[in-house]
Amino acid sequence: MKAALLTGIKQFEIKQIPEIGIVNDTDVLIRIKTVGVCGSDIHYYTTGRIGSQIVEFPFIIGHEAAGIVEKIGNKVTCVKPGQRIAIDPAVSCGHCDQCLAGREHTCRKLLFLGCPGQLGGCLSEFIVLPEKCCYPITDSMTFEQAALSEPLAIGVYSVERSMPYIKDNIAILGAGPIGMSVFHVLRTKNTGDVYITDKIENRLQAAKKLNPKWMGNPDRLDIVKEISGIEPLLLDIVYECSGNPQAIAQGIHLLKPGGKLIITGIPEIDEITFPIHELRRKEITIINIRRQVHCTQKAIDLLASKKINMDSMATHRFTLEETQKAFDLVANYKDGVMKAMINFE
Ligand SMILES: [Zn+2]
Ligand SMILES: [Zn+2]
């Protein structure tokens, strides 16, 4: 079977790798149809690591996927061969303290698709996952929509954990796929005004469709000054979705006393500093988001019911052979790319 192997920094090779098959009774062999290129994949592509998770080359990355069930193990009951599915890329053990507490996403033995030292990724014609990672989709849902349910689930979870009240005023820092997922989910709720920032103009233009109260580019404007001019009492919730360390400080400046800072973005560096006294005096709550848990089905339902339409997020399409091109495009934010999709024949 064919796969895109990451063989070095910014280097992919398309190669034949040994066929894989069912090992456990609960395994499902999946024929991959679509893979979305995620910001976290880009970290592995450009730097070979995220924090202490370091790629040993060659390695297959990719975790935002949808496909068709090819074969199932003897004990599989929730999917059958030929079924179209979305994939939850997190394989939890089901037995540790975290799993038993309903925190499968921080499972002590978590194996995450396309994560170094854990599991090979889905930029491969076939993958094997336990049935609990397989979510049947309706015939009307496209594979691209199914793959987009993965980043959307992170938006669903970020909003769930932040527990917004009716009329809460909110900022989203970063209008990439995760920031937009958060925005889409907020639009299904009865919150107040939404302010959104990004350094890329066409991302702001894309965000405009969701009708923000205000949007601005932090490279051109003092966004704290601008937003606090409109909202003198400041904001209830800020979602940091850019990974930019400066955005953390901006978020703290933008929050009112008792506000909540939700950190969903992944920084490229290992340590960041922030204004501790302002954080303390305002008694701001910081909530870190580690991917998501129990939100895959909710994301699929939001897309299937058309309460959320993220189709315009998939801006570019490539074949498996063109994986390198897709990653270069996303890594360099070229050609107005939001999300690149790799479609298998
Ligand atoms: Zn992702
Ligand atoms: Zn566990």
Side-chain angles (χ1 to χ4, degrees):
M1 64 179 190
K2 239 184 329 181
L5 274 73
L6 189 62
T7 53
I9 301 288
K10 296 190 185 173
Q11 200 180 305
F12 274 107
E13 282 175 42
I14 310 302
K15 283 204 169 143
Q16 288 292 332
I17 59 166
E19 299 289 330
I20 49 165
I22 306 277
V23 179
N24 302 309
D25 284 344
T26 52
D27 279 350
V28 176
L29 179 67
I30 306 160
R31 177 187 291 272
I32 297 294
K33 295 299 286 182
T34 297
V35 175
V37 177
C38 174
S40 62
D41 299 324
I42 295 294
H43 286 282
Y44 295 131
Y45 176 68
T46 56
T47 68
R49 61 186 280 246
I50 296 179
S52 59
Q53 276 161 346
I54 298 166
V55 175
E56 275 184 46
F57 303 111
F59 186 65
I60 301 173
I61 57 176
H63 60 271
E64 298 180 2
I68 299 177
V69 175
E70 182 82 9
K71 236 186 207 174
I72 56 172
N74 290 333
K75 287 193 183 145
V76 170
T77 54
C78 67
V79 291
K80 39 183 194 282
Q83 196 150 26
R84 303 163 74 252
I85 55 166
I87 291 166
D88 175 357
V91 184
S92 53
C93 79
H95 307 293
C96 72
D97 62 323
Q98 297 294 300
C99 285
L100 295 178
R103 297 187 48 89
E104 291 89 342
H105 59 315
T106 52
C107 167
R108 305 278 179 178
K109 293 181 183 160
L110 189 75
L111 300 173
F112 196 85
L113 208 58
C115 194
Q118 297 180 13
L119 268 186
C122 54
L123 280 168
S124 166
E125 280 183 287
F126 294 95
I127 61 168
V128 172
L129 282 174
E131 67 170 328
K132 66 181 176 184
C133 294
C134 302
Y135 288 75
I137 55 169
T138 56
D139 291 342
S140 61
M141 192 174 223
T142 66
F143 288 116
E144 283 191 358
Q145 288 168 335
L148 286 169
S149 70
E150 200 274 344
L152 179 60
I154 295 168
V156 172
Y157 181 62
S158 300
V159 172
E160 231 174 52
R161 288 218 50 210
S162 65
M163 293 193 288
Y165 293 111
I166 290 171
K167 303 286 178 220
D168 267 2
N169 291 323
I170 288 165
I172 301 170
L173 309 181
I178 294 297
M180 287 304 289
S181 294
V182 167
F183 201 173
H184 276 287
V185 176
L186 288 171
R187 279 293 176 248
T188 67
K189 312 241 172 233
N190 210 355
T191 57
D193 294 328
V194 175
Y195 297 77
I196 189 157
T197 67
D198 203 284
K199 294 185 169 194
I200 301 171
E201 285 302 325
N202 56 42
R203 292 202 166 172
L204 292 176
Q205 290 314 314
K208 203 174 184 175
K209 291 185 195 119
L210 292 183
N211 205 12
K213 165 96 173 177
W214 180 92
M215 51 190 207
N217 180 337
D219 280 342
R220 296 200 187 156
L221 294 167
D222 181 339
I223 64 153
V224 175
K225 198 172 142 207
E226 297 283 332
I227 297 173
S228 53
I230 308 170
E231 208 73 61
L233 292 180
L234 301 172
L235 305 177
D236 300 280
I237 304 176
V238 172
Y239 298 90
E240 198 311 281
C241 300
S242 71
N244 187 319
Q246 287 166 341
I248 303 267
Q250 287 167 352
I252 292 166
H253 297 327
L254 285 171
L255 283 166
K256 64 169 65 164
K260 291 174 265 192
L261 176 65
I262 316 304
I263 303 179
T264 305
I266 304 176
E268 213 154 76
I269 53 174
D270 294 336
E271 286 186 24
I272 54 170
T273 56
F274 49 81
I276 182 66
H277 294 299
E278 189 179 350
L279 187 82
R280 192 171 60 76
R281 290 189 189 114
K282 286 182 174 172
E283 202 182 51
I284 284 164
T285 300
I286 296 182
I287 298 177
N288 275 292
I289 300 300
R290 177 56 168 162
R291 301 180 183 133
Q292 59 88 18
V293 67
H294 305 159
C295 289
T296 301
Q297 190 63 53
K298 291 172 195 169
I300 293 169
D301 292 345
L302 283 165
L303 292 168
S305 66
K306 310 233 185 300
K307 281 188 186 138
I308 288 179
N309 181 339
M310 296 217 302
D311 289 353
S312 60
M313 197 177 282
T315 51
H316 293 71
R317 291 170 178 84
F318 297 89
T319 63
L320 182 66
E321 280 71 19
E322 298 171 317
T323 298
Q324 174 105 35
K325 230 167 123 186
F327 274 69
D328 272 336
L329 183 89
V330 180
N332 296 306
Y333 301 97
K334 277 191 280 196
D335 195 26
V337 65
M338 187 69 158
K339 195 167 267 293
M341 308 300 294
I342 294 173
N343 293 324
F344 291 59
E345 279 89 80

